[in-house]
């Protein structure tokens, strides 16, 4: 069993978890992925619910996707978001759960976008240094039309969630096949 920890992008907003990229990935891979996406959550919120929403399930893997709500906060602090992200990864590793990280989608507002890109660059560098597998949703959306796939400027429509699933599957299929052959 796997768990997906995140915000509305994991949940599947404005639809439901049944229509999320997480559900599509679970169906395609034939595995159970518990969707623990909560709309509006920041990385700090995810730290607070790590034990209940991830560790309690004792998953082998955890897909982590967060940061968008952080950069929208009035009193956003880059270092606090980075620290919370590291706490999530550390908590997973201490319980022998393999972390997989999704990089959030682009956003429409220029100031918010600059903050998000700074956080994503840091997440990308951190994951590369730590050997954590990345699912680069941001780059996939940039290649496929960016904001045009986000009807409200933040959340994907159905076509966007399809693209998220395809992006995740391109990374996860080989990993899943490798683990199945062990």
């Amino acid at each position: 069993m796997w768990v997906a920890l995140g915000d509305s992008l994991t949940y599947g907003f404005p639809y439901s978890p049944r229509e999320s990229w997480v559900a599509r990935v679970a169906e395609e891979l034939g595995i159970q992925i518990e969707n623990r996406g909560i709309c509006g959550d920041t990385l700090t919120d995810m730290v607070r619910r790590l034990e209940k929403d991830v560790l309690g399930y004792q998953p082998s893997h955890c897909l982590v996707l967060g940061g968008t709500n952080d950069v929208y906060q009035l009193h956003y602090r880059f270092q606090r978001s980075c620290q919370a992200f590291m706490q999530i990864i550390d908590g997973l590793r201490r319980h022998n759960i393999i972390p997989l990280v999704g990089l959030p989608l682009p956003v429409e507002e220029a100031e918010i976008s600059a903050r998000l890109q700074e956080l994503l660059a840091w997440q990308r560098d951190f994951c590369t240094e730590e050997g954590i597998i990345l699912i680069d949703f941001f780059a996939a959306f940039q290649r496929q039309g960016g904001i045009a796939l986000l009807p409200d400027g933040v959340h994907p429509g159905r076509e966007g969630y399809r693209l998220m699933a395809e992006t995740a599957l391109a990374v996860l299929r080989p990993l899943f096949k490798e683990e199945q052959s062990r």
Side-chain angles (χ1 to χ4, degrees):
M1 175 210 263
W2 293 19
V3 171
L5 177 68
D7 53 26
S8 56
L9 300 176
T10 298
Y11 176 85
F13 182 87
Y15 310 107
S16 74
R18 290 184 306 279
E19 298 177 79
S20 69
W21 67 272
V22 174
R24 293 172 191 226
V25 167
E27 182 178 337
E28 180 72 24
L29 294 179
I31 61 173
Q32 180 182 354
I33 304 176
E34 183 66 33
N35 186 329
R36 301 308 301 160
I38 294 183
C39 298
D41 258 17
T42 64
L43 290 163
T44 301
D45 296 325
M46 292 177 213
V47 169
R48 282 190 212 111
R49 61 188 180 89
L50 187 65
E51 187 164 332
K52 178 183 84 144
D53 284 359
V54 178
L55 305 180
Y57 288 99
Q58 300 179 330
S60 61
H61 295 73
C62 181
L63 299 156
V64 179
L65 173 58
T68 303
N69 292 318
D70 294 64
V71 299
Y72 270 97
Q73 289 184 327
L74 182 60
H75 301 291
Y76 167 68
R77 289 197 343 246
F78 175 77
Q79 290 300 331
R80 180 176 50 197
S81 296
C82 295
Q83 184 64 36
F85 182 82
M86 289 187 293
Q87 286 179 274
I88 293 167
I89 300 302
D90 182 58
L92 295 172
R93 286 181 160 170
R94 276 187 285 118
H95 289 86
N96 298 313
I97 299 167
I98 298 169
L100 307 158
V101 172
L103 296 178
L105 308 178
V107 296
E108 191 169 28
E109 294 177 51
E111 181 182 336
I112 302 298
S113 179
R115 289 181 189 173
L116 182 62
Q117 289 183 54
E118 177 187 35
L119 182 58
L120 294 183
W122 180 87
Q123 285 181 342
R124 186 179 287 113
D125 290 346
F126 177 85
C127 289
T128 300
E129 289 172 17
E130 293 291 318
I132 297 169
I133 293 172
L134 279 173
I135 303 168
D136 198 342
F137 294 121
F138 187 91
F141 270 68
Q142 293 290 75
R143 285 190 303 272
Q144 297 295 319
I147 302 303
L149 294 168
L150 308 169
D152 67 1
V154 178
H155 300 96
R158 286 186 170 87
E159 185 63 21
Y161 280 116
R162 184 193 60 72
L163 176 58
M164 288 182 82
E166 288 176 5
T167 302
L169 285 166
V171 172
L172 298 176
R173 267 192 201 107
L175 172 71
F176 190 70
K177 287 179 182 175
E178 180 183 310
E179 287 189 3
Q180 294 295 88
S181 67
R182 289 184 198 169

